[in-house]
Amino acid sequence: PRTMPDAFPDHLADEVARVADQASIGLIRFDPQLRVRTANLAAPHTLERRPGALVGRSVMETFVDHRLEAMVRAASHGQVGTYESEAADRASLIVRAHPAVGGGAWVTLENITELQRLRRIRSEFIDNLSHELRTPLANVRLLTEMLSDDLAEADVPERVRERVATIDVETGHLVQMINELLDLTRMENAVVQVRHDELALAPLVDATIRRLGTFARRQGVTLTASVPDDLPAVRGDEERLDRLLLNLLHNAIKFSHDGGEVIVSADEHPDAVVVSVVDHGIGIPAADQARVFERFYKVDRARRRGQGGTGLGLAIARHIAEAHGGSIWLESTEGQGSTFSFSLPFA
């Protein structure tokens, strides 16, 4: 087998440091005794130290944070770590630690203070805009309902009733988009806390299927559950997981053919339970599959069918799955259907 050198060559370390400087990323190399051996120019600047002040210092002297000291020590023993620090009186940083060849650790520092500020501005903007739009939209929906009731007893052309009904439907879509955008923004900013209760999946799946029963019958689609009763319990938030399943099932029904079937199944794997939603509908083109979990992304085929939604449902599903320590993925063949699956850790 190829033998590794005793230490990372200094000339390569210098070259890597220069590249990191160009990217405004702090780079620190800790030796096997966990003292700073080298640091590029961006590192002391990011940590608000004078140039050259880091060499020879211990991890605690460098960061003054016992959590970072533990992470760097773990990296020196082969573990990769990431830590995001945020304090009101100093810069917000993402610190990553990796094992170094020959012992010790590499640590990178990325200043995300401006990014955090922009995130807060975006979040506040969406929050304020959502609240400003909700009241007038609620009034519009109320007025259309009252107008529909009045027209039911009036002698007016059918097209007038249809146009009022269209206003009500489109207003409902706007309300849904605002609610989903606000929900997604809160999840992205970790404002929404996810519970970690012990849950049985079979009752959760059955309840979600019942909620969508009327919609499925209207679309001519049959809903079927295949969840073993002896499936191990999972760790999760019942309300959030119901939302995840609801989004996946709603999409599966919407893009299924009349007379089609949507199946929800769950299987035990070595380290998690995997839930799958299978349909035999129009499928998703290969070129679009990598982007379907992005916010506002819509597949062209969906728009042509007039079935496009807000473009937020799958983005919300992804965040819910990841917030539970799981992941979400899809398998699809255009014209044959799609399978959306997500994993959940055992309770």
Side-chain angles (χ1 to χ4, degrees), residues 89-167:
D89 59 344
R90 64 179 66 179
S92 297
L93 304 176
I94 291 182
V95 184
R96 298 182 175 91
H98 300 264
V101 173
W106 284 103
V107 173
T108 60
L109 310 168
E110 185 179 356
N111 190 323
I112 58 168
T113 305
E114 181 63 14
L115 178 61
Q116 295 281 36
R117 187 183 71 85
L118 294 175
R119 284 176 179 171
R120 283 193 295 271
I121 291 174
R122 185 190 69 174
S123 178
E124 291 170 2
F125 171 75
I126 292 175
D127 194 42
N128 292 334
L129 183 63
S130 299
H131 288 296
E132 290 295 327
L133 290 175
R134 275 176 168 174
T135 299
L137 285 174
N139 290 335
V140 171
R141 295 208 74 181
L142 178 61
L143 290 172
T144 53
E145 289 177 7
M146 295 171 61
L147 185 57
S148 296
D149 293 339
D150 293 341
L151 292 177
E153 302 175 358
D155 184 17
V156 296
E158 184 61 29
R159 66 176 182 274
V160 175
R161 294 189 179 89
E162 292 176 355
R163 289 168 182 169
V164 172
T166 300
I167 293 173

Side-chain angles (χ1 to χ4, degrees), residues 163-175:
R163 289 168 182 169
V164 172
T166 300
I167 293 173
D168 185 54
V169 170
E170 295 301 328
T171 305
H173 288 163
L174 284 173
V175 173

Side-chain angles (χ1 to χ4, degrees), residues 172-214:
H173 288 163
L174 284 173
V175 173
Q176 180 188 359
M177 178 179 290
I178 290 170
N179 289 336
E180 290 186 346
L181 181 59
L182 187 59
D183 201 17
L184 179 59
T185 302
R186 287 174 173 171
M187 281 190 286
E188 288 177 339
N189 294 333
V191 174
V192 178
Q193 297 297 319
V194 175
R195 297 171 60 90
H196 295 287
D197 300 325
E198 183 174 323
L199 296 174
L201 276 177
L204 178 65
V205 171
D206 289 340
T208 307
I209 285 179
R210 284 197 299 272
R211 288 181 61 187
L212 287 173
T214 302

Side-chain angles (χ1 to χ4, degrees), residues 255-257 277-290 292 299 301 329-340:
F255 297 114
S256 289
H257 302 297
V277 176
V278 183
D279 69 72
H280 304 286
I282 63 175
I284 300 172
D288 295 300
Q289 292 181 18
V292 295
V299 180
R301 180 175 290 273
W329 64 94
L330 79 127
E331 299 172 8
S332 182
T333 302
E334 190 172 6
Q336 298 183 24
S338 305
T339 298
F340 282 84

Side-chain angles (χ1 to χ4, degrees), residues 59-60 63-73 83:
V59 181
M60 181 56 75
F63 298 116
V64 197
D65 190 320
H66 65 89
R67 291 165 294 187
L68 290 175
E69 182 185 38
M71 187 177 74
V72 175
R73 192 173 300 279
Y83 175 75

